[in-house]
Amino acid sequence: MARRRTKKPAWTRRIEAWRKLPGKTFGNLLAYRPPHSSVFVIGLGIGLAVGLSVGVGLTWLDGRKAPKLSPAQVAEINRPSIAKPPVVQPAIPPAYVEQTEPPAPEEEAPVTESTPPAVVETMPPPIVAEPTPAPQPEPSFIPTPQPAAPGAAEPEWLKNAMASIDPGNHPMIAIVLDDVGAAPSDVPGALALPGPITLSIMTYAPNAARIASDAHRAGHEIMVHVPMEPINRDADPGKNALLTNLGADEIARRLDWGLAQFSGYVGINNHMGSKFTQNAAGMRVVLAALKQRGLLFLDSRTIAASVGDSLAAELGVTHVQRDVFLDDVLDEADIMKELARTEAIAKKHGMAVAIGHPHPDTVQALRQWIPAAKARGFVLVPISVIAKRQNGVTG
């Protein structure tokens, strides 16, 4: 009995036919029906090919639309970045501070610096006080001879100098009271002091001309107290003050205004001015005007770095500078100590200049000190006598 042939399943036959594909014709290949799993794999491959083709095409289109970079732009992009060092901000020094002046007629509190002493100026409120540095070494006085030219006119400061006894070999002391007239109530006490005292009258003081006339009748020498710019911006030196930001013409105009308020003075000294007296350009304008007018300059030394005295010597202007500030502390006992220090300088150098203000405490201390100082052999003189001795002037 013959064996019955078992018919293979359709999928088995198709696999066997797939293996024999190389021997088939192209038509048979087209008629081939692969298994379902093969259809999935072929479809996946076609999808990947189509997606890749679309991606490549879009990339090509984008490349055509993108702008071409110049060589400079390419170099800028490829330039390596260099880290900048951190910027270190410089330390800011502390601002210079001037103390606020108490209500007039009180004097300001002292300020101590590491530099030589400086005067503290006063004004009616709301003026701010000038700084007072630490005491400076006592100066030596070396006269600078200034012989007058033959037939030269006598300078104005000598014409207006008050008559004074010849001190001979006795030590001389000149007492200068600043801010006279700034507080009118203080004027009578200053005028009543036994002379000779030098009174420096404020340019904008009420009735400045009358005060000057009364001072002369009382036997006192007078000066013009010229307001100048302080370091402290909050301090107001007063009307027509000389400022560092002014041109030479305006500085000269303001100085002329101050000098026109009254007459009979021997010269000027500075009110405040811790900033202006350090400014060589501005001080040259002032000193040139004083030389032309024949006036002297007393440097109040409100700042140790003042160029006033040295420039005056350079320009040939008769000049003097302060040695002691009397009423840094408004206390009669403290003022007496400063007067004793003034005596010590006068003994050592033959002369001394002390500056104070016509406050009641200062006036009272001077009223007691003047006769006692004369008894000890000191001679009280106007500022002009010190100027003559220091500058080698006779007459």
Side-chain angles (χ1 to χ4, degrees):
M1 181 174 173
R3 293 181 59 183
R4 184 180 177 179
R5 297 182 61 181
T6 304
K7 188 176 181 178
K8 297 180 179 180
W11 62 271
T12 303
R13 293 196 302 272
R14 289 173 181 169
I15 291 174
E16 291 177 354
W18 179 262
R19 292 174 179 174
K20 298 176 182 180
L21 274 177
K24 297 287 184 179
T25 62
F26 183 72
N28 291 335
L29 181 62
L30 294 176
Y32 173 70
R33 296 175 60 188
H36 295 292
S37 60
S38 298
V39 172
F40 172 77
V41 172
I42 292 171
L44 180 62
I46 292 172
L48 291 174
V50 171
L52 181 62
S53 300
V54 171
V56 171
L58 292 176
T59 302
W60 178 76
L61 290 175
D62 289 341
R64 293 191 62 185
K65 293 180 179 179
K68 293 184 178 181
L69 299 177
S70 65
Q73 291 173 318
V74 174
E76 183 68 24
I77 294 174
N78 295 331
R79 179 182 300 171
S81 60
I82 301 175
K84 295 183 178 180
V87 178
V88 180
Q89 297 293 336
I92 300 176
Y96 184 89
V97 178
E98 292 181 283
Q99 291 186 322
T100 303
E101 179 187 8
E106 297 298 324
E107 181 58 78
E108 61 282 352
V111 180
T112 301
E113 295 181 359
S114 59
T115 52
V119 173
V120 180
E121 291 288 358
T122 60
M123 280 188 57
I127 304 308
V128 179
E130 289 289 318
T132 303
Q136 63 182 4
E138 295 176 355
S140 60
F141 300 101
I142 302 177
T144 304
Q146 295 181 352
E154 187 179 33
E156 196 71 14
W157 71 273
L158 282 177
K159 291 180 182 179
N160 294 331
M162 296 298 292
S164 176
I165 63 172
D166 184 1
N169 295 325
H170 294 281
M172 302 181 296
I173 295 177
I175 301 294
V176 181
L177 295 184
D178 283 353
D179 294 358
V180 176
S185 60
D186 290 341
V187 173
L191 293 175
L193 284 171
I197 300 291
T198 301
L199 304 182
S200 189
I201 304 171
M202 191 72 74
T203 56
Y204 49 82
N207 301 317
R210 189 180 68 183
I211 295 172
S213 178
D214 292 344
H216 272 163
R217 282 197 297 269
H220 301 309
E221 202 161 80
I222 60 173
M223 300 186 70
V224 182
H225 203 39
V226 178
M228 300 183 186
E229 182 179 5
I231 290 175
N232 189 346
R233 295 181 180 180
D234 294 330
D236 179 12
K239 181 180 179 181
N240 277 329
L242 307 186
L243 309 176
T244 55
N245 62 355
L246 299 177
D249 291 342
E250 179 61 16
I251 291 174
R253 187 198 68 78
R254 294 189 178 198
L255 179 62
D256 289 344
W257 176 86
L259 296 176
Q261 299 309 301
F262 55 93
S263 60
Y265 42 79
V266 297
I268 76 166
N269 72 326
N270 52 292
H271 170 65
M272 295 192 177
S274 56
K275 183 174 182 178
F276 189 85
T277 56
Q278 295 184 73
N279 184 273
M283 287 302 298
R284 282 185 183 275
V285 176
V286 173
L287 293 169
L290 296 182
K291 183 175 183 179
Q292 184 180 13
R293 291 171 175 262
L295 300 172
L296 66 82
F297 174 66
L298 166 61
D299 193 341
S300 300
R301 303 285 288 178
T302 55
I303 193 77
S306 170
V307 299
D309 194 67
S310 60
L311 269 182
E314 175 187 324
L315 298 175
V317 177
T318 303
H319 57 98
V320 186
Q321 67 175 347
R322 173 197 57 83
D323 298 308
V324 177
F325 186 69
L326 295 178
D327 43 12
D328 205 2
V329 177
L330 269 180
D331 175 76
E332 189 175 331
D334 191 84
I335 294 169
M336 294 300 289
K337 291 179 182 178
E338 294 304 315
L339 286 167
R341 191 162 73 90
T342 304
E343 291 184 16
I345 295 175
K347 278 185 177 180
K348 182 175 182 179
H349 300 290
M351 66 194 78
V353 177
I355 290 181
H357 299 84
H359 301 310
D361 285 341
T362 307
V363 169
Q364 179 60 24
L366 287 172
R367 188 177 291 116
Q368 297 177 24
W369 172 82
I370 289 174
K374 290 180 179 179
R376 288 190 290 268
F378 294 95
V379 179
L380 197 63
V381 297
I383 193 67
S384 60
V385 175
I386 301 289
K388 290 178 183 179
R389 183 72 62 90
Q390 286 193 11
N391 292 267
V393 177
T394 59

